[in-house]
Amino acid sequence: MPSRTPEPQPRAAGARERPAVVTPLAAIADAVRGTLQADPEEMTTRRLRLLDTVDRRLARRGFRLEAEPAGDGEPEHWRLVSASGRTRAAADIAVPAPRLVDDLPQGPLRKALAPIVDIRGLQPSPWIAVVEHRAALRDTAGKIRCRLSARTASSTDPGERCSAVRVDALKGYRTDGDRIADRISRHFGWSPSAPDPLSVLATSLLPEPKGAAYPSVADAGLPAGLALRPVLQALLDTVEHRAAGVTADLDCEELHELRVAVRRSRAILTLLRSDQPEPELEHARGFFAWLGQVTGPTRDLDVHVLDWRAHRRRSPDQAADLEPLGRYLKAERDKAQAKLVRQLHSRRFRDGVRRWRRALDAGDDAWSRTDRARTPIGKLAGRRIRKLYRQVVEDGSAITPDSPAEELHALRKTMKKLRYVFEIGRDVYPAKPAAAVLRKLKELQQDLGEVQDTAVQAEALRRFGEIMGRTGAAGPVTLMAIGALAEDLEIRRAEARARFASVFAPVAKRRFGDRLRRLTRGKAGGGR
């Protein structure tokens, strides 16, 4: 039965704005039915929660995940609903429900959610009460021409409410559906094209995350201090809000995004470094260096847990053997997380954020004192980008198959700096060539990251295995599985190391360098 979702109709003179409460459906049906007859009204009530990731991945793809309880201790019924109201997949989930898709039972729901949600945790909304009234309109022969429904969704916490009236036309009777929908819109102010109340309520109960992960300057000609201050403010917003998510332990990506904001802030502060005294910027550099350090151990263990989960998916026959490792990693991660939460609640963190916020809120004069701060941001960033690029080409060209891992790691750090500074100005560069440059930089950085991270993880896994074997936390079968996992990481490291030359070559090409120089020396880059 196709859903009737016409474009909003123009209202007649004197028509009301969309009301907050639905007129009783029987009254609506009686007013708009014309020669059709209305069936007795039916009513259903439901109580449910909506689930989505912190960054609202399901909502952005037009989906809604509903969790409806069956009773105390009984499984919840989860439904993945599309924008059209169609159920895409469903499953009964034991309570307490898992937050990660990996932990859902195998089946259509997990399969549908996995590519969208990925590694993010599912967060529940407050409880929602849904009341729906339905009635069918029939012709004189008793055939249903269309169905009417009025739905109201309300939440007592924080006291939100939304309603909508919908017309569903049966196949072959679209004209009747159009006519009824038009009458409802003109006489009662309800457009059947309005979104479902649950989807509307989700935007307030599961709001978009605050803070920008990748802010960029808006005008290459602005003095660097004035151009970069709002970028740094946006990054500090991200640090504060992601710190709250880390403290609540929403999912591992909250910490990752916090650390990215820290690294971007440090890249900007390096860009603004001057020979002239700048105590607030120096204090911020120290604060962000400390924050990067204290967040490292938890992030490292998050990566280990993610890799353990990925290996468990790839090799289900080893899943049981690796369960002791999963328990060990979780315990170690919980200890690191508890320590990190103490740091994020510490006076040092609060004072660091407060002092940096105060510096960022200072007047324009405070951000125009040094020569660098007064240099146009396009020119300043362009010089830095070209310098870092020359260093990347020089250092990368010297790497051979026999080069030590330290040289690739050093190149990776330079690549991060280059990418972060380039992304600061990405919105003022021509979109297509900037995207092409950024894509190649990301590919090289990711390959170098794979080389470094897999080596570190393999070494750590062996260390974990030694500890678990010594303490009796793992038996021979588990220790062998840990060894196999470490070997898998070594294979991935070797493959990434072998890819380096082919990934580096396009970045080192003269054509790529010329494109980078044109972008950063052109009008958008602030000239020479």
Side-chain angles (χ1 to χ4, degrees), residues 290-307:
W290 167 79
L291 191 53
Q293 183 180 18
V294 299
T295 55
T298 304
R299 176 58 187 170
D300 289 343
L301 284 160
D302 279 342
V303 172
H304 283 302
V305 172
L306 288 172
D307 196 67

Side-chain angles (χ1 to χ4, degrees), residues 170-191:
L170 268 66
K171 187 175 181 180
Y173 297 106
R174 184 180 181 86
T175 302
D176 293 291
D178 288 348
R179 183 168 59 249
I180 297 299
D182 181 64
R183 289 172 183 170
I184 290 174
S185 180
R186 287 189 290 110
H187 293 292
F188 295 96
W190 293 102
S191 170

Side-chain angles (χ1 to χ4, degrees), residues 294 297-298 333-344:
V294 299
T298 304
R333 192 262 178 197
D334 287 347
K335 287 188 285 188
Q337 169 71 4
K339 185 175 181 180
L340 175 56
V341 169
R342 289 195 295 273
Q343 298 284 11
L344 296 178

Side-chain angles (χ1 to χ4, degrees), residues 279-498:
E280 292 305 320
L281 269 61
E282 285 301 321
H283 184 272
R285 290 185 186 101
F287 170 67
F288 284 121
W290 167 79
L291 191 53
Q293 183 180 18
V294 299
T295 55
T298 304
R299 176 58 187 170
D300 289 343
L301 284 160
D302 279 342
V303 172
H304 283 302
V305 172
L306 288 172
D307 196 67
W308 168 75
R309 286 180 171 276
H311 187 83
R312 190 176 60 173
R313 287 194 303 272
R314 291 193 302 268
S315 307
D317 55 314
Q318 287 189 322
D321 298 340
L322 286 171
E323 279 305 311
L325 174 62
R327 290 193 295 270
Y328 175 84
L329 291 174
K330 184 179 184 303
E332 291 297 304
R333 192 262 178 197
D334 287 347
K335 287 188 285 188
Q337 169 71 4
K339 185 175 181 180
L340 175 56
V341 169
R342 289 195 295 273
Q343 298 284 11
L344 296 178
H345 283 158
S346 69
R347 175 176 292 182
R348 183 170 185 177
F349 178 77
R350 295 195 306 271
D351 289 350
V353 169
R354 190 181 303 116
R355 179 169 175 176
W356 186 224
R357 179 75 68 188
R358 188 166 58 244
L360 290 169
D361 290 341
D364 290 352
D365 289 346
W367 287 84
S368 306
R369 290 172 181 161
T370 67
D371 292 340
R372 284 206 171 195
R374 291 190 293 268
T375 303
I377 180 57
K379 182 177 292 185
L380 184 66
R383 287 202 300 255
R384 177 69 171 160
I385 289 167
R386 294 191 295 274
K387 179 179 179 181
L388 288 169
Y389 175 69
R390 288 194 297 271
Q391 184 179 343
V392 164
V393 173
E394 180 180 347
D395 294 348
S397 299
I399 291 176
T400 69
D402 298 323
S403 295
E406 291 77 14
E407 292 186 11
L408 280 87
H409 183 49
L411 179 60
R412 179 195 185 187
K413 291 194 288 187
T414 306
M415 280 297 307
K416 283 185 178 182
K417 296 173 185 176
L418 172 58
R419 176 184 163 189
Y420 290 157
V421 178
F422 187 84
E423 287 186 328
I424 288 169
R426 71 183 185 279
D427 289 343
V428 300
Y429 300 139
K432 285 189 176 180
V437 166
L438 192 56
R439 184 169 58 253
K440 292 299 181 184
L441 296 180
K442 284 181 179 179
E443 288 174 0
L444 178 54
Q445 183 185 333
Q446 287 169 356
D447 185 71
L448 291 167
E450 183 84 349
V451 173
Q452 173 70 13
D453 293 344
T454 49
V456 171
Q457 289 172 43
E459 181 182 351
L461 271 179
R462 295 189 181 98
R463 186 173 67 251
F464 296 154
E466 290 176 5
I467 296 171
M468 294 173 69
R470 192 168 58 247
T471 60
V477 174
T478 294
L479 294 178
M480 289 179 63
I482 292 174
L485 180 53
E487 182 66 24
D488 182 57
L489 287 167
E490 290 288 4
I491 292 171
R492 285 167 51 194
R493 184 203 63 77
E495 289 173 346
R497 180 66 181 82

